[in-house]
Amino acid sequence: MVNIPIFYLWGYLLIYSNFNPLKMNKFIHIFIFFLVFSANHSNAQNLIINEIVASSTNNPIDSYGDYSDWIEIHNPGNSNIDLEGYHLSDNPENPLKWSFPSVSIPSGGYLIVFASERNTIGNELHANFKIATEGEKISLFSPNGNLVDEIDSIPLRTNISYGRYIGGETGFRYFSTPTPGAENSTPFFMGFLTDAEISHPSGYYTQSISVTAQHSSNEAIIHYTIDGSEPTEQSPIFPEAMNFNDASTQPNSISLIPTNPSFNYPMPGFDESRGNSRGWLPPYNNVNKINVLKVKAFRDGLIPSETTTNTYLINPEAEERYSLPVISLTTDPGNFFDNESGIYVYGTVGELGNYSEEGDEWERPIHLQYFEKDGNIGFEQDFGVRIHGAGGRHSAIKNLRIYARSEYGDNKLEYKFFENDDNNDFKRFMIRGPGHTPGCGPRDDFADLLLQNQNMDIQHVQHVILFVNGEYWGIHAIKERFDQDYLELKYGKKDDDYVILRNSGVLDSGEEGDQIPYTNLLSFVTENNMTLPENYDYVKTQVDMDNYLSYYTSEVFFGNVDWIESNIKFWRYKGLDKNN
């Protein structure tokens, strides 16, 4: 008679016939493996990718001070799950692209992974990839390489998340209010509206034009503004047609807003000397103006379209009106001129004036359109802007630092500003004003132009005429921004492989301690006899001496009195490739 052991496990009936003790031992080992695998597999199936954001300008901010892309993992199961050995990927050909460390998601919990390309772990998790706004598949894999969950490739916009709706309905939705670390129960949208179509493109016109706007959806309503602000559903509805004429006769508006305390001194950071040398004054007459139009389409149940911005320069002389390229900068007026949030005014928030504040919190979104001298559009793009400089921040006309970031669209500008320079890529650049005294800007530009062929990094110059929300803002100069991004684009290598010091050796860009080689060099020069060849030869291994001599003789030649302890930056490469 043959004995047939019978096992009942989790509702399954397992019958093992032809019983043999040796075979039974092998069966038990296989069975234990099956139990462990089943438990892990069951846990894995409980994990879901709950929400993703591909571009952000608001919370959450990571420990690096950035608004990074992020992925939210949710554990809806009844037990905690250790993610060690799990993988995230944005590339189906490389499913093990980024690996989790030992980190646990409690039952019902959420975990945020920043998709920042930093590839770091610690109090925060940073994957080694970003999420493309045009759409790419995000996948979660188990330690054995099996697919656990994925989100299909879909296009996303800034500050819009895509995730599972948990609130009575199932499926993926778009959310205008992302909820990192919580269920996605906020109001949702089923998709995006396409952009409105405008009859007349931006450009120069010799006479009045009648502009129309339409949308492919009959249910869409198009709203518009003409003051640079973002259209909302409270903005006027676009009529059947709008007539635009030469705008120069329109009354002054934002050019009448004081951009510093003027003669209302003393105030913190603004004394009598600054009031007398750079105090704001109203325009002497009616300033030149151009037309700016912004339109946006709205429809119930769908996320509004992107904003379309058009600029119309209407004058009988057309492109002959100006001998320089023209930049049309548009932004919500409050971004520049609001007393609490405006970056261009003294205001009521900043300790030394709003315009003296720095950092991400004082960066504002703008749209730039660049018209070449022949009237053609060189480029148009969304950017971020901050006020740049030191004492120049108190000037009536400020220096602007422009940032290309993925959260605004493209993370760099591809355009050839300067005829005598091969660089066509910019992550940041400057729109410099005339300076805080009448001769400041021209002297600075002349020095840069004169030294173009010297052995040092020199800012190139392209003069332009700037309009802000349609009002003339004066002659400015496009220049490079000297920072780690500039060094990466010009010399190659990673941007964080460069150390930049400023003034007397203060760390400007880099990690704490990167300034030590410079302070050691100063000590060596101070403590040793520099007339000895061996000492001088050592210094030459630490400093590009030709560059050093060219720079210092130039500053002395120009008689720069605001220098040595200020307005100076110097850099070194700290990467592993010592030959560069």
Side-chain angles (χ1 to χ4, degrees):
M1 181 176 180
V2 178
N3 294 320
I4 304 178
I6 300 177
F7 301 90
Y8 291 90
L9 292 167
W10 291 287
Y12 291 95
L13 176 65
L14 302 181
I15 301 178
Y16 192 80
S17 61
N18 298 322
F19 176 72
N20 181 298
L22 294 177
K23 291 184 179 181
M24 184 62 187
N25 186 56
K26 180 178 180 181
F27 168 79
I28 292 174
H29 284 289
I30 294 174
F31 177 66
I32 291 174
F33 172 80
F34 170 77
L35 291 181
V36 173
F37 176 80
S38 296
N40 285 340
H41 184 69
S42 176
N43 280 340
Q45 291 303 311
N46 283 332
L47 293 173
I48 60 174
I49 300 176
N50 196 53
E51 188 176 14
I52 63 172
V53 165
S55 176
S56 176
T57 60
N58 52 34
N59 289 332
I61 188 170
D62 63 29
S63 60
Y64 295 93
D66 296 327
Y67 297 111
S68 298
D69 307 345
W70 51 268
I71 302 164
E72 180 186 68
I73 309 297
H74 176 45
N75 174 15
N78 297 321
S79 59
N80 300 346
I81 299 177
D82 190 340
L83 288 178
E84 184 173 14
Y86 283 77
H87 308 278
L88 276 175
S89 180
D90 65 342
N91 182 359
E93 302 298 321
N94 184 11
L96 311 183
K97 187 168 184 178
W98 183 78
S99 300
F100 281 90
S102 179
V103 57
S104 179
I105 304 184
S107 170
Y110 300 83
L111 178 71
I112 297 297
V113 178
F114 289 104
S116 64
E117 289 186 334
R118 293 186 180 275
N119 194 25
T120 60
I121 59 176
N123 294 331
E124 289 180 346
L125 302 180
H126 286 258
N128 57 356
F129 60 87
K130 293 183 178 181
I131 304 173
T133 54
E134 59 268 23
E136 59 180 346
K137 182 173 291 187
I138 304 299
S139 305
L140 175 67
F141 293 90
S142 67
N144 57 15
N146 290 329
L147 179 66
V148 176
D149 193 27
E150 64 183 2
I151 288 184
D152 285 332
S153 174
I154 40 88
L156 286 171
R157 293 182 185 170
T158 299
N159 297 328
I160 300 294
S161 71
Y162 185 67
R164 288 178 164 85
Y165 183 73
I166 304 175
E169 297 189 30
T170 60
F172 286 92
R173 301 288 187 269
Y174 295 91
F175 300 90
S176 59
T177 304
T179 54
E183 68 177 21
N184 306 323
S185 57
T186 57
F188 62 83
F189 298 87
M190 300 303 296
F192 300 101
L193 267 183
T194 57
D195 296 345
E197 298 177 3
I198 309 300
S199 61
H200 289 66
S202 297
Y204 287 84
Y205 295 85
T206 58
Q207 56 188 4
S208 301
I209 56 176
S210 179
V211 178
T212 60
Q214 61 182 5
H215 197 275
S216 56
S217 170
N218 293 329
E219 299 178 45
I221 300 175
I222 301 173
H223 295 260
Y224 78 95
T225 64
I226 55 174
D227 64 352
S229 61
E230 280 292 302
T232 67
E233 291 185 277
Q234 286 68 52
S235 302
I237 296 176
F238 200 95
E240 184 175 341
M242 289 187 68
N243 293 323
F244 290 94
N245 310 293
D246 186 344
S248 292
T249 58
Q250 295 178 7
N252 295 336
S253 178
I254 57 174
S255 56
L256 297 177
I257 299 174
T259 54
N260 64 34
S262 188
F263 298 112
N264 298 319
Y265 50 74
M267 297 183 72
F270 199 87
D271 55 16
E272 180 178 0
S273 173
R274 283 182 166 162
N276 290 331
S277 65
R278 66 201 76 176
W280 175 89
L281 292 172
Y284 295 125
N285 50 32
N286 212 46
V287 301
N288 288 340
K289 299 180 185 70
I290 57 179
N291 298 282
V292 294
L293 170 66
K294 289 190 172 185
V295 300
K296 193 169 192 173
F298 296 83
R299 177 183 166 185
D300 289 343
L302 296 177
I303 292 173
S305 72
E306 299 279 22
T307 298
T308 299
T309 302
N310 279 16
T311 298
Y312 303 122
L313 300 92
I314 303 174
N315 188 276
E317 298 179 72
E319 63 270 13
E320 302 297 326
R321 179 70 178 84
Y322 302 106
S323 60
L324 293 171
V326 169
I327 290 182
S328 174
L329 183 158
T330 54
T331 188
D332 191 297
N335 287 334
F336 272 29
F337 305 112
D338 184 82
N339 275 333
E340 292 186 358
S341 60
I343 64 174
Y344 211 94
V345 293
Y346 190 85
T348 58
V349 176
E351 182 179 351
L352 301 177
N354 289 8
Y355 49 61
S356 292
E357 296 299 299
E358 300 178 336
D360 290 344
E361 294 182 359
W362 291 90
E363 181 175 317
R364 300 291 180 263
I366 61 172
H367 184 80
L368 292 185
Q369 291 178 300
Y370 186 94
F371 296 87
E372 296 170 341
K373 287 189 290 185
D374 61 4
N376 292 321
I377 293 184
F379 68 85
E380 67 172 304
Q381 187 170 317
D382 291 328
F383 297 93
V385 64
R386 303 182 190 182
I387 303 300
H388 174 81
R393 292 172 178 266
H394 299 278
S395 301
I397 302 296
K398 322 291 184 190
N399 300 321
L400 303 179
R401 191 187 310 160
I402 310 301
Y403 291 79
R405 300 187 190 278
S406 58
E407 52 261 41
Y408 302 119
D410 296 323
N411 63 0
K412 68 179 179 179
L413 169 66
E414 297 182 7
Y415 184 74
K416 187 174 180 61
F417 278 123
F418 315 113
E419 293 182 0
N420 56 342
D421 183 59
D422 294 332
N423 181 36
N424 298 335
D425 295 333
F426 299 88
K427 291 186 177 180
R428 302 176 188 177
F429 62 93
M430 311 288 300
I431 304 179
R432 288 188 64 101
H436 53 272
T437 59
C440 184
R443 286 201 312 268
D444 186 59
D445 295 346
F446 174 71
D448 285 336
L449 291 169
L450 189 64
L451 298 173
Q452 290 298 318
N453 295 321
Q454 296 299 309
N455 179 31
M456 50 185 153
D457 289 315
I458 296 294
Q459 289 177 313
H460 296 81
V461 180
Q462 172 60 64
H463 290 108
V464 297
I465 292 172
L466 177 65
F467 285 85
V468 175
N469 286 347
E471 293 200 32
Y472 179 79
W473 221 252
I475 296 176
H476 288 61
I478 301 290
K479 296 189 175 186
E480 298 101 331
R481 157 73 172 161
F482 283 162
D483 57 15
Q484 289 175 310
D485 288 324
Y486 166 86
L487 295 173
E488 177 184 5
L489 289 171
K490 182 167 184 178
Y491 297 107
K493 310 302 181 183
K494 294 171 56 179
D495 58 357
D496 55 5
D497 281 339
Y498 294 98
V499 178
I500 301 178
L501 306 182
R502 57 183 167 85
N503 302 337
S504 59
V506 177
L507 185 65
D508 183 87
S509 299
E511 300 175 342
E512 188 60 39
D514 282 342
Q515 73 276 22
I516 293 177
Y518 176 73
T519 58
N520 290 342
L521 178 61
L522 290 182
S523 297
F524 180 86
V525 171
T526 303
E527 298 169 3
N528 291 275
N529 183 356
M530 296 310 299
T531 64
L532 297 178
E534 59 269 25
N535 291 338
Y536 183 65
D537 287 342
Y538 170 74
V539 172
K540 288 196 295 183
T541 67
Q542 304 298 305
V543 176
D544 183 334
M545 196 57 67
D546 290 339
N547 171 272
Y548 177 84
L549 293 174
S550 295
Y551 172 72
Y552 269 80
T553 53
S554 299
E555 294 283 13
V556 172
F557 173 78
F558 286 116
N560 190 349
V561 296
D562 191 12
W563 172 66
I564 291 189
E565 292 284 322
S566 62
N567 292 320
I568 177 175
K569 284 186 177 182
F570 39 102
W571 64 273
R572 71 179 177 90
Y573 174 67
K574 68 170 184 177
L576 298 178
D577 186 353
K578 301 302 182 183
N579 294 323
N580 287 274

